[in-house]
Amino acid sequence: MTDSTFEQSTVDRLLSLESETRRLREMIGEMSGRIAKLGKAPETAVRNADLEVWDFAVACSASVFGVTPAQIKSPRRIEAWAIARHVARYLPHIVYDWPCRRISKAAFTTRSNVQCSISAVRTMRGDKRYKDSIERAVELFRGGSHE
């Protein structure tokens, strides 16, 4: 291979790489434009829907247990509030089969708190004092179409 042939093949490769780079930059620009148009709308829409479902679960539990939604969302550990809070966390899990992580994000709590709530409600379902109230809350929650 002569020097001129080597130089020509090198020039051809550089031109080819330059052309490919230009094409990739155009593709990236197009994709960036599409992403910018989407923004965070899909993610935000899902988040807003989850918050709406959580608020509905809180409202259902509050109406059945005779507390306010603000009391359920409160971090205070008053027994009546805590029971209603446990049931509110249980509703999306049992009705929509939501995982604990999704409930925890909507309820602004930890996954382990949600797991404890679900476990507590499962135990309470065996107690005559709570069984009917829990079933009423589940039926009330099922009656609303939020997913």
Side-chain angles (χ1 to χ4, degrees):
M1 191 150 124
T2 65
D3 286 337
S4 64
T5 308
F6 175 75
E7 287 175 14
Q8 185 59 43
S9 66
T10 302
V11 169
D12 289 343
R13 275 189 265 154
L14 287 174
L15 289 173
S16 175
L17 286 172
E18 186 178 304
S19 173
E20 184 67 16
T21 301
R22 208 175 308 119
R23 188 181 70 75
L24 289 172
R25 283 187 180 154
E26 288 172 5
M27 285 177 54
I28 290 170
E30 288 174 22
M31 293 169 86
S32 296
R34 288 183 200 157
I35 291 169
K37 284 180 186 174
L38 287 174
K40 293 197 176 229
E43 180 181 314
T44 303
V46 169
R47 176 76 175 138
N48 289 343
D50 285 1
L51 292 174
E52 186 178 324
V53 170
W54 168 244
D55 286 341
F56 185 63
V58 168
C60 291
S61 184
S63 70
V64 169
F65 288 94
V67 298
T68 67
Q71 290 169 330
I72 289 176
K73 292 179 178 181
S74 167
R76 297 187 65 191
R77 295 182 179 198
I78 296 171
E79 184 179 5
W81 299 4
I83 290 169
R85 185 179 310 121
H86 289 326
V87 172
R89 292 173 181 168
Y90 175 78
L91 293 174
H93 177 73
I94 195 70
V95 174
Y96 295 139
D97 199 30
W98 277 16
C100 294
R101 173 105 29 225
R102 187 173 180 185
I103 297 167
S104 70
K105 286 182 180 181
F108 300 101
T109 189
T110 64
R111 182 182 50 81
S112 62
N113 282 344
V114 173
Q115 288 173 323
C116 288
S117 292
I118 290 168
S119 177
V121 174
R122 285 183 178 148
T123 302
M124 289 187 318
R125 285 191 92 142
D127 189 333
K128 292 177 185 176
R129 294 177 298 169
Y130 301 113
K131 183 177 182 177
D132 291 338
S133 297
I134 293 168
E135 288 176 4
R136 276 199 324 268
V138 169
E139 289 307 311
L140 188 60
F141 190 70
R142 278 194 175 121
S145 55
H146 278 76
E147 190 172 77

